[in-house]
Amino acid sequence: MSLDEFFVTGEPLIYAGMVAIVLVTSAIIFLLTYFKKWGWLWREWLTTVDHKKIGIMYILSALAMLFRGGADALMMRVQLAFPDLNFLNTQHYNEIFTTHGTVMIIFMAMPFLIGLMNIVVPLQIGARDFAFPYVNALSFWSFFFGALLFNISFVIGGSPDAGWTSYTPLAGAAMSPGPGQNFYLLGLQLSGIGTLATGINLMVTILKMRAPGMKLFQMPIFTWSTLVTSFIIIFAFPILTVALALMTIDRIFGSQFFTLTGEGLPMMWANLFWMWGHPEVYIVILPAFGIFSEVIATFAKKQLFGYKAMVWSMILIAALSFLVWVHHFFTMGAGAFVNSVFSVSTMLIAVPTGVKIFNWLGTLYKSKIQFTTPMLWALAFIPSFVIGGVTGVMLGMAAADYQFHNSYFLVAHFHYVLIAGTVFACFAGLEYWYPKMFNHKLNEKFGKLSFWLFVIGFHVTFFPQYFLGLDGMPRRIFDIGPEWFTLNFISTIGAFGMGLGFAVFVFNIYYSYRTSQRETTGDSWDGRTLEWATPTPVPHYNFATQPTIRGLDAFVEMKKHNESTFDESKLEPIHMPNNTGQPFIMMALLFMSSFALVFEWMTLAILFLVGVIVMMVVRSFDEDEGHHVEVEEIKTTERQLRGL
Amino acid sequence: MQSNVKHTPLEYQTEHNQMSILGFWIFLAAEVVLFSTLFATYAVLFGRTANAPLPSELFGIEIVLIMTVLLLTSSFTCGIAIHQMRHGSNSGLITWLIITLVLGLGFLGFEIYEFIHYSHEGATLSSSAFWSSFYVLAGTHGLHVTLGIGWAILLIIQLYKKGITAVTSRKVFIISLYWHFLDVIWIFIFTSVYLIGMVI
Ligand code: HEM
Ligand SMILES: [Cu+2]
């Protein structure tokens, strides 16, 4: 293989990307060396097993991915702004819509939410860490290197171009030769390992590590949403694992699962993909529901209305989410009976979802709403998400879907649920828990500016797309007809509004770091749940003493009784895990093995895989028992943090 | 069932161990989904042999029966190993684990022999959709057995060096769960792949 087959050549935009990568990497290396920060990076971050730091790394990576996916989106919107534009050619456009979709769902939405879960869930249940801190670090690095593998494809080897759904036979070896599709398969496989491990980890953490007295139906609602989500992860991700593995074996080892030869069944991919894919959309929406519930209860200053109904509706949604996958291919010949069954099951999901909407409204009803930025996101979510849900039900009617399918109507639907649901929730959650993470709030003025830019931009971008769909504009085209010009042009303007909103958001992070007042109490919003009972910055052991829980909204109770998580009479040494570099090294080796497999360099792939196995052996013989934080140290830390 | 609180097995005595065991049960649930998906693909692709031989032409009862007996026995000996562990006999534990391993290796040997035999007869991974799904289903199980053997060897070394402790007993207990699980999967492969494949 010659060098110009290895690197992507002949595309000015990609050359610019390469230059940017080289510049940014050199700048980072220079800064780390100049300020002698390599040791700090290794000790404090790359080897950490602290759930709060891992959460921050998840969120930083997710923001970077939001930037990358957003850049893809803006390029597509530019290309679609005018008919017959030659900003992107067909091939490049195909690559960009593929990477945009994949990056946003797998490497932005999920890691962002998992990052928030990492930081918040142990604090909400009064735990000192995850059940398996080592595995948690492993999960993060598997996601990180999976994302890296997928993202380098645009400068090395070439990006995948068969859509984020990668339907066969298009995505098979015969019609998509070359490494592009392999990047998709192995990047997702690599990060999928971490997602599954996180699901198990969170489930055990929530089931086993709650503070004394906290019953399941007294858990904060975000923790509930996490528990239900981890259930979906555990039952859905193995399906993706198999689907990806089968296509990888098809492409690299010549099996015939999804091929047109050897009596393979391309349609089976669509089934497997959506048997994971539909639960996946609920993996990214249920935690969002959880975040909005927390934010709404806090700023309406009331207990969440219909807590039990909220929990049961999530459980019902999770169960139903496994029974609707065929609605993604009503038009692909399943027949009237099958379509009818899945049509009904699809529309059923709207019922528990509606229950949740009314409960949020019930919480807001007659309350004194405090209009903070996180609350604004939550308020904007409700009507926007209803639009997405109602159009979802329209798509769910099989007969009507013959019209809507693969049109911009569909594109508008899933952006209304994914952006107004998941992305708004990520922003709301980040702003809400920001003071817990970084010891100061984000500036409200810039926060609101970015909110308005983003939300208005969002509706301007996607509302016209419903009508473009009804006008017959198909999705995944790179050149629009003149009859679709006006609405497309409006849509592009909106997209730049969203881009601006994101830019203001990122600027606000820097601005607030420089100017915001530091927190003094740890209870930044007069919160209701346990995470606000810890001082900020949260000491690495979280809770000096675990409180005893008597009911819902544990911290409200504690404040009433004047209790704290620092009861000097009850202090005991706290057992904590030690940092370790193994997860990073193990996943780096797996990354290199996967990279070699992308190019089908078998010897090299096996060599690195042996390295991974060696690391596993090292782990098996590892006798690290962690360490204890002594009572004296806890006392000084807490007194200092609490200003006692 | 002994429900004597004083006799909580060693591997359940620390909270950390309890969490590890629960975590492993949940992992096994994910493994069930993984194998179910493979069984489903196999079922869907059943009969799609293209120009390759039919399963009924290749599958023979003798070797598969031997494999089944080997693996079932190994599950039994694995149970005895745990029994020995509960009684605190490290040497008994190690001996029975080694017997389990040898049986597992025997199983693998026959499976590899089978695969080579089939491919000589013209049924390879790439000859048709049906054979792809056969090899991947049975092969995934075989790969799991291989990993289990490697893992057990590491544990035997640790038992040899450290004896039965809270940590090693947890590890042994977990691998025994894994081993029994693989046995259950094999029973499904034996019946729904081999037995059905022989008659249809
Ligand atoms: C009331 C609830 C919902 C209903 C009834 C519904 C229904 C549907 C239907 C029928 C389709 C397929 C349409 C077609 O391909 O022609 C679809 C596509 C989609 N939905 Fe939903 N949906 C709902 C909620 C959600 C949520 C909450 C999300 C994610 C957060 C979501 C994300 C998606 C995505 C990503 C696609 C398109 C995937 C693709 O083809 O690339 N939906 N929805
Ligand atoms: Cu769906």
Side-chain angles (χ1 to χ4, degrees):
Chain A
M1 170 177 279
S2 67
L3 215 57
D4 67 327
E5 282 174 58
F6 187 67
F7 287 108
V8 178
T9 52
E11 186 68 60
L13 282 170
I14 292 180
Y15 285 136
M18 287 180 187
V19 174
I21 291 175
V22 171
L23 284 181
V24 172
T25 316
S26 331
I28 293 174
I29 292 175
F30 173 77
L31 287 177
L32 286 172
T33 315
Y34 185 79
F35 290 108
K36 301 202 172 66
K37 287 288 188 189
W38 285 105
W40 166 83
L41 182 69
W42 177 257
R43 280 189 311 272
E44 297 287 320
W45 297 97
L46 302 189
T47 61
T48 189
V49 291
D50 181 337
H51 68 97
K52 301 177 287 298
K53 288 189 175 170
I54 291 177
I56 289 174
M57 293 195 288
Y58 263 117
I59 292 176
L60 281 179
S61 318
L63 282 172
M65 288 295 99
L66 183 56
F67 177 75
R68 196 250 143 120
D72 283 349
L74 288 182
M75 286 196 274
M76 285 189 286
R77 276 324 313 169
V78 169
Q79 170 63 25
L80 295 179
F82 299 95
D84 299 329
L85 208 63
N86 263 321
F87 177 64
L88 302 173
N89 60 32
T90 343
Q91 175 59 23
H92 201 179
Y93 191 88
N94 289 350
E95 291 176 6
I96 287 187
F97 75 64
T98 301
T99 55
H100 166 75
T102 316
V103 162
M104 284 302 200
I105 297 221
I106 309 278
F107 301 127
M108 190 287 286
M110 252 196 319
F112 208 129
L113 295 166
I114 290 180
L116 290 172
M117 292 171 184
N118 254 277
I119 294 163
V120 176
V121 168
L123 293 176
Q124 279 198 331
I125 60 174
R128 293 192 166 117
D129 207 323
F130 268 47
F132 313 111
Y134 180 98
V135 177
N136 196 26
L138 208 65
S139 292
F140 170 74
W141 290 111
S142 113
F143 147 68
F144 180 87
F145 283 114
L148 190 64
L149 185 64
F150 185 83
N151 275 279
I152 53 174
S153 67
F154 93 102
V155 287
I156 296 175
S159 297
D161 59 0
W164 86 282
T165 50
S166 284
Y167 279 179
T168 47
L170 176 62
M175 295 165 90
S176 294
Q181 186 60 25
N182 295 349
F183 274 113
Y184 170 96
L185 294 167
L186 292 159
L188 262 62
Q189 194 70 284
L190 189 49
S191 68
I193 299 171
T195 311
L196 181 60
T198 298
I200 297 174
N201 212 340
L202 280 166
M203 187 173 265
V204 178
T205 307
I206 296 173
L207 290 180
K208 285 285 201 180
M209 294 175 74
R210 297 191 306 278
M214 185 185 277
K215 303 201 186 75
L216 277 181
F217 274 89
Q218 293 171 345
M219 297 195 307
I221 194 82
F222 179 64
T223 298
W224 253 116
S225 74
T226 302
L227 181 62
V228 177
T229 304
S230 49
F231 174 87
I232 308 183
I233 289 178
I234 290 158
F235 285 91
F237 260 77
I239 307 177
L240 178 71
T241 306
V242 171
L244 294 171
L246 298 188
M247 200 199 286
T248 310
I249 300 172
D250 261 11
R251 290 177 55 90
I252 299 182
F253 302 99
S255 63
Q256 311 255 19
F257 288 100
F258 309 122
T259 52
L260 292 171
T261 51
E263 295 194 34
L265 262 186
M267 202 47 218
M268 196 170 64
W269 168 264
N271 274 285
L272 291 177
F273 183 86
W274 287 116
M275 280 159 84
W276 159 78
H278 190 87
E280 165 69 13
V281 307
Y282 283 92
I283 291 172
V284 296
I285 201 66
L286 288 182
F289 288 171
I291 293 170
F292 289 129
S293 303
E294 298 285 358
V295 167
I296 288 176
T298 303
F299 296 113
K301 310 229 153 290
K302 270 167 68 177
Q303 200 175 60
L304 188 67
F305 181 80
Y307 169 87
K308 281 205 171 148
M310 284 297 215
V311 172
W312 281 110
S313 59
M314 281 197 289
I315 294 173
L316 202 60
I317 290 177
L320 284 174
S321 77
F322 284 91
L323 304 173
V324 299
W325 79 92
V326 172
H327 68 211
H328 290 277
F329 41 88
F330 281 144
T331 57
M332 295 193 205
F337 177 71
V338 172
N339 275 1
S340 308
V341 170
F342 281 90
S343 199
V344 171
S345 65
T346 300
M347 286 188 264
L348 274 179
I349 292 202
V351 177
T353 316
V355 169
K356 299 189 76 69
I357 299 274
F358 283 111
N359 279 329
W360 286 312
L361 294 179
T363 313
L364 291 169
Y365 182 65
K366 283 193 173 170
S367 67
K368 287 209 181 62
I369 299 178
Q370 210 183 340
F371 290 95
T372 58
T373 321
M375 187 61 163
L376 289 181
W377 289 110
L379 294 176
F381 149 77
I382 297 176
S384 315
F385 190 82
V386 168
I387 300 178
V390 168
T391 50
V393 175
M394 291 169 70
L395 290 163
M397 294 186 261
D401 190 52
Y402 274 75
Q403 290 300 316
F404 304 137
H405 183 58
N406 267 359
S407 77
Y408 259 73
F409 191 87
L410 166 71
V411 175
H413 155 68
F414 67 70
H415 284 94
Y416 259 82
V417 279
L418 282 167
I419 297 181
T422 308
V423 178
F424 284 13
C426 289
F427 286 146
L430 183 56
E431 281 175 335
Y432 178 59
W433 283 300
Y434 202 84
K436 194 75 335 199
M437 297 154 63
F438 296 106
N439 203 21
H440 62 84
K441 285 184 186 165
L442 285 171
N443 182 286
E444 282 282 307
K445 219 171 59 212
F446 282 107
K448 286 184 177 150
L449 179 64
S450 88
F451 164 81
W452 286 111
L453 282 168
F454 199 88
V455 170
I456 295 174
F458 161 70
H459 283 283
V460 174
T461 311
F462 292 104
F463 204 66
Q465 294 186 1
Y466 282 120
F467 298 95
L468 281 169
L470 297 177
D471 282 349
M473 178 172 161
R475 74 191 288 203
R476 292 175 177 167
I477 55 164
F478 90 114
D479 187 11
I480 57 167
E483 69 274 28
W484 300 315
F485 163 67
T486 317
L487 288 175
N488 270 299
F489 188 74
I490 295 173
S491 180
T492 301
I493 293 178
F496 279 90
M498 293 170 78
L500 206 58
F502 179 63
V504 174
F505 190 92
V506 173
F507 170 75
N508 196 13
I509 291 178
Y510 171 75
Y511 182 81
S512 309
Y513 169 69
R514 298 301 297 266
T515 61
S516 275
Q517 226 180 359
R518 304 296 120 160
E519 293 294 310
T520 48
T521 62
D523 183 14
S524 314
W525 310 103
D526 191 14
R528 315 181 66 80
T529 38
L530 272 188
E531 73 270 34
W532 304 108
T534 57
T536 45
V538 187
H540 67 104
Y541 50 77
N542 294 355
F543 295 91
T545 48
Q546 278 188 315
T548 305
I549 309 300
R550 286 181 236 94
L552 199 60
D553 286 347
F555 190 41
V556 175
E557 284 290 306
M558 285 174 67
K559 283 193 271 197
K560 249 188 244 159
H561 295 88
N562 221 348
E563 292 170 357
S564 91
T565 56
F566 177 51
D567 184 344
E568 286 206 38
S569 61
K570 282 202 241 154
L571 286 182
E572 270 170 39
I574 296 174
H575 179 253
M576 295 301 290
N578 288 335
N579 284 0
T580 161
Q582 289 173 23
F584 178 83
I585 298 171
M586 199 188 288
M587 285 299 141
L589 287 165
L590 198 53
F591 165 79
M592 293 194 256
S593 177
S594 313
F595 182 79
L597 199 56
V598 165
F599 289 92
E600 303 178 26
W601 299 331
M602 289 308 164
T603 330
L604 205 58
I606 293 171
L607 212 66
F608 282 119
L609 202 58
V610 171
V612 178
I613 293 172
V614 170
M615 284 308 294
M616 289 170 155
V617 175
V618 169
R619 166 65 178 163
S620 181
F621 285 96
D622 190 355
E623 287 174 39
D624 188 353
E625 294 275 321
H627 62 276
H628 281 89
V629 189
E630 296 306 331
V631 171
E632 274 316 305
E633 191 189 334
I634 304 173
K635 267 191 197 159
T636 32
T637 319
E638 293 284 323
R639 283 188 182 149
Q640 193 203 343
L641 285 173
R642 292 168 188 268
L644 297 174
Chain B
M1 274 299 281
Q2 271 182 312
S3 59
N4 195 331
V5 190
K6 265 179 271 168
H7 286 110
T8 310
L10 186 58
E11 66 271 18
Y12 275 105
Q13 277 172 11
T14 69
E15 217 168 302
H16 176 70
N17 277 4
Q18 290 174 16
M19 292 200 290
S20 301
I21 293 169
L22 175 65
F24 197 78
W25 274 109
I26 300 175
F27 170 75
L28 286 184
E31 287 268 60
V32 169
V33 180
L34 183 125
F35 276 102
S36 310
T37 314
L38 288 172
F39 276 109
T41 28
Y42 177 83
V44 168
L45 297 176
F46 192 81
R48 304 179 81 94
T49 38
N51 298 323
L54 296 174
S56 53
E57 292 165 9
L58 295 188
F59 289 170
I61 189 76
E62 301 84 8
I63 290 186
V64 187
L65 213 52
I66 297 174
M67 286 163 74
T68 308
V69 171
L70 284 176
L71 207 61
L72 287 188
T73 318
S74 85
S75 221
F76 182 67
T77 57
C78 182
I80 300 180
I82 296 296
H83 190 70
Q84 295 286 344
M85 179 172 88
R86 295 271 162 85
H87 284 269
S89 160
N90 195 27
S91 59
L93 170 57
I94 293 180
T95 315
W96 284 102
L97 274 183
I98 291 177
I99 295 173
T100 308
L101 281 194
V102 172
L103 291 168
L105 275 173
F107 169 87
L108 266 188
F110 279 108
E111 178 152 64
I112 293 169
Y113 169 81
E114 278 284 292
F115 281 7
I116 293 174
H117 169 67
Y118 296 157
S119 48
H120 278 307
E121 301 288 325
T124 64
L125 178 73
S126 52
S127 29
S128 74
F130 169 79
W131 286 107
S132 301
S133 67
F134 166 79
Y135 280 108
V136 170
L137 171 56
T140 306
H141 177 266
L143 188 67
H144 275 73
V145 174
T146 316
L147 286 178
I149 291 174
W151 183 11
I153 292 174
L154 298 181
L155 293 194
I156 290 172
I157 299 171
Q158 289 172 31
L159 284 172
Y160 185 74
K161 277 164 70 180
K162 285 178 248 162
I164 302 176
T165 66
V167 175
T168 52
S169 67
R170 175 208 5 145
K171 291 185 178 183
V172 172
F173 183 72
I174 285 179
I175 201 175
S176 78
L177 292 179
Y178 182 76
W179 199 261
H180 294 311
F181 165 77
L182 291 182
D183 210 24
V184 173
I185 296 294
W186 176 257
I187 295 189
F188 280 98
I189 295 182
F190 176 63
T191 48
S192 62
V193 174
Y194 284 101
L195 290 188
I196 294 182
M198 272 172 222
V199 294
I200 298 185

